Amino acid sequence: MFELLAGFVCMLGIIFITSANAVGRPTIVADNLPVVQRQGQIAYLNCVVTNVRSPAQVLWIKQTTPTGDPLHISSDETIRVGFVVGGRRKYEVMKYKYDNREIYQLIIQSVTETDAGNYTCQIFLPYDNYKEWPQKEMDLIVFTPPTFKPDNPAEIQAHSGHNITLVCEANGYPLPNITWKRNDRGPLPNGEFQERGSIYTIYGISVTDCGKFMCTADNEVKPPASFTVQLDVTFVPVCIAVQDVVGQGQNQRFNAKLECLVAANPRAEVSWYKKNRATKEREQIQGGDKYNLDEQYSNYSKPFERWYTLAIKTVQRNDYGDYYCVARNKYGENQAKVTLFSSFG
């Protein structure tokens, strides 16, 4: 009788074990492909499991974080972190069932570049070794529009003849392409109308290279970003006489006007001199009853150009001779000569 009872119990045990094994081990059954989303939108990460029964739990963990420590986001449908964005929770887990499978969907609101990285869906099995817990990893890729690094210089100064490097670095995903152009749509110093790359070197810079250079970063994630660098070129003054010789009669109450165009950066100090015929020395001219000194600037001129005039009132015989327009700044000086002569025999 005892042997019969024991055999019956043994048979029940076999039936129980067989039934338990039929349920199967908790498993993640679908490959988790990378999820791609644009910044500001909602990301959906799916984890498909089977045979998950209490006390087993489905966990979502973010592996890549600024601190380097994993972020345990959820257990089943319970969110374990209190992050809020726009007045609502950053994370949410929705559970869906179909056939013999369940989907644990991690929803991430208003994704930013900090949300990008590696996420793990893991099944917690309290009676198994941690290393044996089923898990699948997936990547969240967040497309972000270009933004410029704050240390990009907005203005650069260089001396004529030197080399200069313009730098424009941008963030964004995918990594933006950088293009350089002139704001006035003219050619770049190398003769091209655009240059690619975050670093643009100008060799043997000249005065004509002054102006604004626009750097554009574009990774096809709207909107593209633009950044302008003002290039300021310093140089020794350049003096040009509008007329090398000026004729005027004497003792006829006529005035003579001598004109000089000066380009300089930084701005030049301009003086007029007359060569003394007797001593051969130059004597500086001061404004007054005999002379009128004037400086003009036109909206059509370049920012570093000025127009200087010397008006000689009621020309007399001793006014004839050589006059000099002299321009000086800290880098040096230059001059232009104008000769005043009698235009009446």
Side-chain angles (χ1 to χ4, degrees):
M1 183 68 179
F2 177 78
E3 292 177 354
L4 180 61
L5 181 60
F8 179 71
V9 170
C10 182
M11 184 180 298
L12 287 177
I14 292 173
I15 293 172
F16 175 79
I17 293 171
T18 302
S19 176
N21 287 340
V23 173
R25 179 179 174 79
T27 307
I28 301 174
V29 296
D31 290 332
N32 293 327
L33 301 176
V35 175
V36 179
Q37 195 55 278
R38 290 177 181 265
Q39 179 174 276
Q41 296 184 337
I42 303 174
Y44 301 90
L45 283 66
N46 293 320
C47 184
V48 184
V49 301
T50 59
N51 303 324
V52 176
R53 300 290 184 271
S54 181
Q57 294 180 343
V58 176
L59 313 179
W60 275 107
I61 301 167
K62 187 177 190 297
Q63 300 293 347
T64 50
T65 64
T67 63
D69 298 321
L71 176 67
H72 293 264
I73 299 173
S74 64
S75 298
D76 288 340
E77 297 165 87
T78 302
I79 303 301
R80 299 175 59 179
V81 292
F83 299 160
V84 176
V85 58
R88 51 186 307 184
R89 282 193 159 195
K90 176 72 175 179
Y91 301 107
E92 183 180 4
V93 172
M94 299 294 293
K95 180 180 176 181
Y96 304 96
K97 291 185 178 182
Y98 73 97
D99 295 337
N100 63 337
R101 300 183 177 190
E102 294 176 330
I103 299 175
Y104 286 81
Q105 184 179 74
L106 174 63
I107 303 171
I108 307 174
Q109 302 287 340
S110 301
V111 294
T112 67
E113 57 186 343
T114 59
D115 294 315
N118 181 264
Y119 289 77
T120 297
C121 172
Q122 188 177 63
I123 300 178
F124 166 69
L125 301 175
Y127 304 116
D128 285 15
N129 186 290
Y130 169 79
K131 295 181 179 180
E132 297 178 359
W133 294 358
Q135 66 178 31
K136 291 279 187 178
E137 295 183 357
M138 72 176 65
D139 290 319
L140 172 60
I141 300 171
V142 179
F143 281 178
T144 57
T147 56
F148 290 108
K149 296 182 179 180
D151 53 353
N152 287 334
E155 185 172 347
I156 295 180
Q157 187 177 84
H159 192 61
S160 179
H162 292 185
N163 301 334
I164 189 68
T165 298
L166 306 181
V167 178
C168 179
E169 295 183 309
N171 297 315
Y173 192 87
L175 189 66
N177 293 316
I178 304 295
T179 303
W180 288 97
K181 294 181 181 179
R182 291 198 70 135
N183 272 29
D184 59 8
R185 299 184 180 180
L188 294 167
N190 62 3
E192 302 293 335
F193 282 88
Q194 69 175 23
E195 184 77 14
R196 293 187 179 277
S198 61
I199 297 176
Y200 174 45
T201 301
I202 304 172
Y203 298 96
I205 199 167
S206 69
V207 178
T208 57
D209 298 327
C210 280
K212 294 181 178 180
F213 291 75
M214 184 172 65
C215 159
T216 300
D218 190 3
N219 61 358
E220 298 187 358
V221 182
K222 295 182 179 181
S226 295
F227 179 78
T228 300
V229 179
Q230 174 68 46
L231 176 58
D232 190 31
V233 179
T234 59
F235 56 95
V236 176
V238 177
C239 295
I240 301 174
V242 177
Q243 290 180 287
D244 294 333
V245 292
V246 175
Q248 187 57 278
Q250 60 176 324
N251 302 322
Q252 299 293 325
R253 296 180 180 270
F254 293 141
N255 299 335
K257 180 182 286 188
L258 314 184
E259 298 174 299
C260 175
L261 181 64
V262 175
N265 188 28
R267 186 175 172 180
E269 178 184 339
V270 176
S271 303
W272 285 92
Y273 294 84
K274 183 180 186 297
K275 188 175 183 179
N276 189 305
R277 291 185 176 181
T279 64
K280 306 300 181 183
E281 296 291 331
R282 295 183 183 183
E283 298 173 348
Q284 185 172 354
I285 295 173
Q286 304 292 339
D289 294 337
K290 182 61 180 177
Y291 303 104
N292 184 37
L293 304 175
D294 191 22
E295 174 188 348
Q296 298 176 355
Y297 171 74
S298 170
N299 290 331
Y300 298 101
S301 301
K302 294 181 179 179
F304 45 78
E305 291 181 342
R306 294 290 190 278
W307 194 287
Y308 296 86
T309 61
L310 169 62
I312 305 171
K313 304 172 185 176
T314 313
V315 174
Q316 304 296 322
R317 181 180 180 82
N318 62 354
D319 290 324
Y320 297 127
D322 294 334
Y323 290 79
Y324 297 88
C325 169
V326 180
R328 304 180 182 90
N329 66 14
K330 68 179 182 178
Y331 295 105
E333 71 173 56
N334 264 313
Q335 65 181 21
K337 183 175 79 170
V338 182
T339 299
L340 177 64
F341 71 97
S342 175
S343 59
F344 297 96

